Amino acid sequence: QVQLVESGGGSAESGGSLTLSCVASGDTYRTYSLGWFRQAPGQEREGVAALDYDGSIRYADSAKGRFTISQDKAKKTLYLQMNSLKPEDTAMYYCAAVNSPYRMTTNQARGFVPPFWGPGTQVTVSS
C-alpha cells in the first residue's frame, strides 16, 4: 500500500495562490494514477484534477485555467498549483491514488472512490 500526506494548505485572499503537495511513501515502486479532490462542508466531494500513470491529465471545469497538477517522481510528490483563488475554492483538499492501469482521469468525475487517501489539508480563501 501507499501512504499519502498532504501539505501546503492555509489561508489566502481572493486572487491569491497556494501550492499543495502530497508526498507518497510505502509501496511506491508500483505505478499509480493520482488525483486531487476537495470537499467543502455540506457539499459533495469534487474531483479537482487528475494525473494518470501515463501522464494523462484531467481538470474539473472549476479548476481549468487556474489549477495545475504536476508530479516530481524523484521526490515522490504530487503538486497542485492553485492560482486566481476564489472563496468558493475553500474546502478540505485531499490527494488520492489508485494502482495502474486504473485511470483517475476518466473515473474522477464518476463518483469513483480511490483506495488510497491522504488525511487532507485545509484551504481557506477570503474575499
Side-chain angles (χ1 to χ4, degrees):
Q1 291 189 350
V2 63
Q3 290 80 46
L4 306 169
V5 179
E6 305 93 338
S7 63
S11 298
E13 294 186 351
S14 183
S17 298
L18 286 172
T19 299
L20 306 183
S21 300
C22 173
V23 178
S25 61
D27 191 8
T28 57
Y29 70 88
R30 299 180 185 273
T31 57
Y32 294 89
S33 293
L34 306 166
W36 288 98
F37 294 76
R38 68 184 181 187
Q39 189 166 22
Q43 297 188 17
E44 292 187 356
R45 183 173 55 214
E46 177 188 19
V48 176
L51 175 58
D52 284 342
Y53 61 92
D54 64 355
S56 300
I57 290 176
R58 174 260 176 193
Y59 295 101
D61 288 344
S62 59
K64 287 179 182 176
R66 300 189 301 125
F67 293 3
T68 302
I69 189 171
S70 63
Q71 182 183 30
D72 185 328
K73 291 186 177 180
K75 295 182 178 180
K76 301 177 183 179
T77 302
L78 180 73
Y79 301 99
L80 185 67
Q81 173 69 44
M82 303 187 295
N83 299 325
S84 303
L85 284 165
K86 304 175 182 180
E88 50 264 43
D89 294 320
T90 296
M92 185 72 79
Y93 283 71
Y94 303 89
C95 69
V98 60
N99 300 79
S100 64
Y102 289 99
R103 292 186 173 277
M104 194 74 77
T105 54
T106 53
N107 291 302
Q108 193 179 44
R110 300 178 181 177
F112 169 65
V113 181
F116 307 112
W117 292 85
T121 186
Q122 177 68 38
V123 171
T124 302
V125 183
S126 58
S127 58

